[in-house]
């Protein structure tokens, strides 16, 4: 797969931007986790990983507040950014190998 130099440069820039986004999100995650405390973060992780029963999840949703929802949003953004970063990195590696 041959790539034009400007396309390769775009992908390199994208990697830099994604790395910066991930770095900022991890800092935001840490700050929110400090506000919430270890116990609540563990409860949210179980919810995020869908480890609760349907009944537990239903009750748990009622208890979510602003910071809970914000942390879950940050986790979703981090996951998406990591997935995109991996795909872009894979694309660049394929270009280098060919």
């Amino acid at each position: 797969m041959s790539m034009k130099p400007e396309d390769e440069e775009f992908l390199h820039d994208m990697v830099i931007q994604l790395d910066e986004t991930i770095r900022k999100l991890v800092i935001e995650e840490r700050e929110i986790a400090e506000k919430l405390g270890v116990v609540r973060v563990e409860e949210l992780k179980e919810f995020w990983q869908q480890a609760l029963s349907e009944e537990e999840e239903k009750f748990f949703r009622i208890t979510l507040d602003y910071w809970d929802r914000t942390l879950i949003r940050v986790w979703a953004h981090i996951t998406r950014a990591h997935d995109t970063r991996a795909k872009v990195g894979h694309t660049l590696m394929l270009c280098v190998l060919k």
Side-chain angles (χ1 to χ4, degrees), residues 29-78:
E29 174 188 25
R30 194 175 314 125
E31 290 170 352
I32 296 168
E34 286 177 17
K35 290 178 186 184
L36 292 173
V38 174
V39 173
R40 186 58 176 175
V41 171
E42 287 305 313
E43 292 171 346
L44 289 166
K45 282 181 183 176
E46 286 181 25
F47 176 73
W48 171 252
Q49 296 166 349
Q50 300 177 332
L52 303 176
S53 71
E54 189 175 321
E55 192 63 34
E56 290 171 322
E57 184 177 327
K58 195 181 294 185
F59 173 76
F60 193 79
R61 283 183 181 279
I62 295 168
T63 70
L64 295 175
D65 69 7
Y66 171 80
W67 290 111
D68 296 336
R69 293 177 191 277
T70 301
L71 183 57
I72 291 168
R73 178 191 55 80
V74 168
W75 286 340
H77 285 256
I78 288 172

Side-chain angles (χ1 to χ4, degrees), residues 18-28 30:
L18 285 164
D19 287 344
E20 180 64 16
T21 297
I22 291 167
R23 188 186 67 73
K24 287 178 181 177
L25 287 167
V26 167
I27 291 169
E28 185 177 357
R30 194 175 314 125

